[in-house]
Amino acid sequence: MLFSSQSQLQLFTKQSKKGLRSIDELKDVAKECKRCQLRTNCKKVVFGSGNKKAELMLVGEGPGKTEDKRGIPFVGQAGQLLNKILEAAEIRRDKIYISNIIKCRPPGNRKPTIEEMKSCLWILAQEIRFVNPKLIVPLGSTALRGLLNPNGSITRRRGIWVEKEGKYFLPTFHPAALLHDKNKKEPTWKDFLKIKKAYNKYLKLKAEGKKV
């Protein structure tokens, strides 16, 4: 597991020594990150966006061409499809937080290597720490492997809740996969209905002042 509790503790300790006190400070640090070679060829570092105190967080693979140009995650074709899914599920995008495993676009939109993921996961670890969401949705195999299981299969693990350190993860297909395989649309929608149900239940309990 790339994102083990031990590695989280080490990363948090390391960043604490740097004095990071907010997600905005983290964003400034991330923009200057050169821990791998991806920063050399990308246009912009694509940091997470959305509600900085969201209860629901979506995590994708990495920026595409449009994201690299605009510096915002999920604004290309896959992002437009994600917006439609969220709208259908009655989940407001401005109320959640969206990020990626890596923050710089790989050449040709190739999948990031393990070393590139390891180099960038410290940023995601800190995003999760600052936002502190209760529910996290890994979108696609790269997010699943980076967050939960380096050998995990998204086909086998999607739609199954996993509890880890007080947070609940539900992996599902990446929206980009739906653009190439229509057969993935129905199972993805079923997953988002589960996410919607859990999200609304959590918000209701929180509003009632109940411990969740």
Side-chain angles (χ1 to χ4, degrees):
M1 187 181 300
L2 297 178
F3 202 56
S4 67
S5 58
Q6 181 179 4
S7 65
Q8 283 184 37
L9 179 60
Q10 293 172 341
L11 290 168
F12 295 164
T13 302
K14 181 177 180 180
Q15 290 307 312
S16 176
K17 291 179 180 178
K18 289 187 175 182
L20 289 181
R21 294 169 295 180
S22 71
I23 197 167
D24 292 320
E25 289 185 7
L26 173 64
K27 184 176 182 178
D28 290 337
V29 172
K31 287 180 178 180
E32 303 301 322
C33 179
K34 296 180 181 179
R35 291 166 64 97
C36 74
Q37 76 280 7
L38 291 180
R39 184 69 184 92
T40 304
N41 297 312
C42 76
K43 288 184 175 66
K44 293 184 178 180
V45 174
V46 182
F47 196 74
S49 70
N51 181 0
K52 298 173 185 177
K53 293 298 179 182
E55 308 298 349
L56 172 62
M57 181 174 181
L58 308 186
V59 180
E61 179 178 299
K65 183 177 181 180
T66 306
E67 290 78 11
D68 183 45
K69 182 179 180 180
R70 295 181 56 186
I72 305 171
F74 283 92
V75 290
Q77 276 190 303
Q80 292 170 23
L81 178 54
L82 177 62
N83 288 343
K84 291 179 180 179
I85 295 172
L86 291 172
E87 183 178 358
E90 299 179 316
I91 298 173
R92 289 176 52 180
R93 176 163 173 161
D94 64 334
K95 293 294 184 180
I96 67 175
Y97 190 87
I98 302 178
S99 192
N100 282 304
I101 293 292
I102 61 170
K103 312 304 183 189
C104 296
R105 182 195 181 201
N109 280 4
R110 64 164 173 77
K111 285 189 174 296
T113 65
I114 293 295
E115 290 307 313
E116 288 165 351
M117 290 168 65
K118 287 181 177 179
S119 296
C120 212
L121 276 169
W122 72 271
I123 300 175
L124 181 60
Q126 295 300 311
E127 284 182 286
I128 292 174
R129 180 169 75 95
F130 282 121
V131 177
N132 194 27
K134 191 69 176 181
L135 308 172
I136 300 177
V137 178
L139 299 169
S141 59
T142 298
L144 168 65
R145 292 168 183 169
L147 285 167
L148 295 174
N149 187 337
N151 299 310
S153 166
I154 191 64
T155 302
R156 295 179 180 178
R157 298 302 302 172
R158 56 141 289 270
I160 301 174
W161 286 106
V162 177
E163 191 276 331
K164 185 170 183 273
E165 299 179 16
K167 300 186 185 301
Y168 294 87
F169 296 75
L170 191 139
T172 191
F173 292 119
H174 193 288
L178 278 60
L179 296 173
H180 302 289
D181 186 353
K182 294 182 179 180
N183 293 326
K184 289 184 169 66
K185 288 187 176 182
E186 183 177 353
T188 301
W189 176 240
K190 289 181 179 179
D191 293 343
F192 268 90
L193 289 179
K194 291 181 181 180
I195 294 163
K196 174 185 177 180
K197 183 178 180 180
Y199 181 49
N200 288 339
K201 181 179 179 180
Y202 177 72
L203 291 179
K204 182 175 182 294
L205 291 172
K206 187 177 180 181
E208 293 172 351
K210 296 180 181 179
K211 186 177 181 179
V212 289

